[in-house]
Amino acid sequence: MTETQAYPARDAGQRKLAINGLRARKPLDESAVDRFLARHEVPIVEGARCTFLFRGQADEVHVLHRIVNQPQRVPMRRVGETSLWYAVLELPEGSRVEYQLEVRRGSDVSSGNDPLNPRVAHSPVGSSSVCHASGYVVPDWVLPDEDARPGTLTEIAVPSRALRREMRAQVYLPARFRRTRSYPLLVVHDGSDYLQYASMKTVLDNLIHRLDVAETVVVFTDPGARETEYPNHAGHARFVVSELLPHLAADLPLLDRPSARCLMGASFGGVAALSVAYRNPSVFGSLLLQSGSFVFTDIGFDHGGGEVFDPVVSFMNRYRARPRLVADRIFQSCGVYEPLIVPNRSMVPVFESAGMEVRYVEARDGHSWENWRDRLRDGLSWIYPGPQKYYYE
């Protein structure tokens, strides 16, 4: 099943943009800019059009974003002789876009977050300003809910002969965890990033409290050398299946069947989840893959992604040539503004051709942790539905 957001028709009879009202003002001076900025949040969202602003002395200012197939360095124009600059971008309903501003003063060029916009998203490589276009709302289930009983996170150490080091992970137990019951297991790649940048503990607490997701034991793992261990690495697969799973089963009451085991990951972590299941096709019943780096080539091997993608492309080309069932069900999501949208769309029929049930979801978002955070309810409640989901579906 594939789910996409419908694109609405362009607004007819669009009213005058606020920035154009300011440009027509007389006198147009810094006092007028002060009053204008005091009245508006930045970016200014008016239907499908979003006005980005910068105030300060500059020779050039650009909006930098990463929406695929769009100019990603958009010049801003100065408002009269004032210190205010602006650019208007059209963003479809429900879009969430991360961006920065590039400012040139003489030969000095710098880029950074928008000083007029307090919304910031974080990731392991830094932060970006965020534009919430018309219709985008932060889901309430990603925010702390005082009525939701919190689960616990406990750090564990797992000696690994496969990876020749001690692996550390964090184990989430739901608030009502009892050793007299048995639970499904979710193994998360890039676990610390999911906890820090996608609020995943809060999401689990809330979704389990609201009965959208079954009570689940979740183990958050982290890589050592991510670019080596995640794209189809034999040692990583042996660690997950032959060391981590037995370690958890010896200590926790886990359901002992493939349908109660799920592997999850985003980007390279999605490749890791798929390749671990590929090497162990009878172990996991489900995969939750977000913006997987499923880069492949149809002719030759020139993929343009650099050496780090060589093992990914080798694996994906081999899998696409001979697709096989690696799990019963796959939840797959991707942002339509990502460069990976085409590879992800292309994998849906490939997975289905191998006999797997696929639920595929797209959103008007980019390759970001908040995109993956916002898709967690759809994915988790489909993989391990709580009683509420069973009732309504």
Side-chain angles (χ1 to χ4, degrees), residues 70-104:
Q70 295 291 316
Q72 297 186 1
R73 187 169 174 268
V74 181
M76 300 182 89
R77 298 174 61 186
R78 192 172 170 188
V79 178
E81 297 301 317
T82 73
S83 59
L84 190 67
W85 298 68
Y86 78 99
V88 179
L89 275 66
E90 182 171 329
L91 296 175
E93 177 87 5
S95 296
R96 198 196 69 89
V97 172
E98 298 186 7
Y99 70 98
Q100 290 194 320
L101 301 180
E102 180 188 86
V103 180
R104 183 180 72 80

Side-chain angles (χ1 to χ4, degrees), residues 96-100 113-114 117-132 136 196-198 365 367-371 373:
R96 198 196 69 89
V97 172
E98 298 186 7
Y99 70 98
Q100 290 194 320
N113 293 337
D114 182 347
N117 179 4
R119 292 194 179 102
V120 176
H122 300 277
S123 78
V125 296
S127 63
S128 299
S129 295
V130 182
C131 175
H132 293 174
Y136 173 82
Q196 183 172 354
Y197 304 117
D365 209 321
H367 197 74
S368 73
W369 285 97
E370 292 192 359
N371 174 16
R373 175 200 66 187

Side-chain angles (χ1 to χ4, degrees), residues 238-351:
R238 284 201 305 275
F239 163 69
V240 172
V241 173
S242 302
E243 298 174 337
L244 178 62
L245 292 186
H247 183 95
L248 295 170
D251 186 53
L252 296 167
L254 301 176
L255 292 166
D256 186 19
R257 56 176 185 259
S259 63
R261 300 187 200 103
C262 177
L263 277 173
M264 172 177 173
S267 192
F268 259 44
V271 179
L274 177 63
S275 60
V276 170
Y278 178 85
R279 290 172 177 271
N280 302 274
S282 61
V283 176
F284 300 94
S286 303
L287 303 179
L288 201 164
L289 310 175
Q290 298 193 295
S291 304
S293 300
F294 301 140
V295 178
F296 61 87
T297 58
D298 288 316
I299 301 175
F301 195 71
D302 185 8
H303 51 78
E307 290 183 4
V308 69
F309 272 90
D310 285 351
V312 174
V313 174
S314 294
F315 170 63
M316 296 307 301
N317 284 357
R318 187 164 66 249
Y319 184 83
R320 288 173 59 83
R322 293 182 179 80
R324 72 186 194 198
L325 190 144
V326 300
D328 294 325
R329 309 168 82 223
I330 292 180
F331 178 91
Q332 185 184 356
S333 67
C334 194
V336 297
Y337 300 152
E338 301 185 48
L340 290 167
I341 186 64
V342 171
N344 272 269
R345 285 175 179 166
S346 300
M347 288 307 298
V348 174
V350 177
F351 290 142

Side-chain angles (χ1 to χ4, degrees), residues 373-392:
R373 175 200 66 187
D374 289 359
R375 311 280 86 74
L376 285 175
R377 184 175 67 174
D378 287 345
L380 295 172
S381 64
W382 189 70
I383 297 292
Y384 293 141
Q388 183 99 324
K389 284 289 181 182
Y390 271 129
Y391 179 80
Y392 285 110

